[in-house]
Amino acid sequence: MSESSSYFDLAGRLEESFAEIEDTITVDLRENDEDYRSLYQSISDLKAKHPFIQKVIEGAGGLTLSAEEHEVLANYFRLQFRLESMERQQIYFRGHTDCFAYLKKIGAF
């Protein structure tokens, strides 16, 4: 594909820059959304207080968890799911916003 035709490949350009877009969204959430920031901090605090969480995430070697550690890990996953749901929602809204701006720019309405 030539350089000029790749410019018109909007889907390809978005796919290439998705990591940057996602990073921008998460930074914006941390800076401007109190609920997200609080959730992010709770997750960070849990990981700092319970180093075994990182071992579970990395998957290195065998682990045995106590009932209390299992509860902590289950709570971590619940919080992480809520955080990622907030991120997915923002990405969804951003996609709609970008789509609307693009359609307006090309004169679709």
Side-chain angles (χ1 to χ4, degrees):
M1 187 181 303
S2 72
E3 188 174 320
S4 64
S5 64
S6 68
Y7 175 78
F8 294 104
D9 178 17
L10 180 61
R13 288 191 355 249
L14 288 173
E15 187 175 344
E16 288 175 4
S17 61
F18 182 77
E20 184 179 333
I21 292 167
E22 184 179 34
D23 186 54
T24 300
I25 288 169
T26 58
V27 168
D28 184 59
L29 281 168
R30 275 195 307 268
E31 291 176 354
N32 298 303
D33 187 305
E34 182 60 39
D35 291 336
Y36 183 91
R37 185 173 36 253
S38 175
L39 197 52
Y40 185 87
Q41 188 61 51
S42 295
I43 291 168
S44 295
D45 292 347
L46 264 179
K47 286 169 70 175
K49 185 176 178 183
H50 304 282
F52 74 88
I53 293 173
Q54 194 61 38
K55 291 179 184 177
V56 170
I57 293 168
E58 291 171 359
L63 288 169
T64 302
L65 300 177
S66 67
E68 180 183 333
E69 289 171 329
H70 183 260
E71 181 63 34
V72 167
L73 186 62
N75 185 44
Y76 166 82
F77 284 129
R78 280 191 294 274
L79 295 175
Q80 188 66 35
F81 180 77
R82 285 180 41 210
L83 186 84
E84 290 171 3
S85 290
M86 292 176 81
E87 292 169 358
R88 283 191 306 274
Q89 183 181 41
Q90 283 304 112
I91 290 168
Y92 178 80
F93 291 152
R94 168 75 182 265
H96 279 76
T97 302
D98 289 350
C99 180
F100 182 77
Y102 176 72
L103 290 172
K104 189 174 177 183
K105 182 176 179 108
I106 65 170
F109 39 50

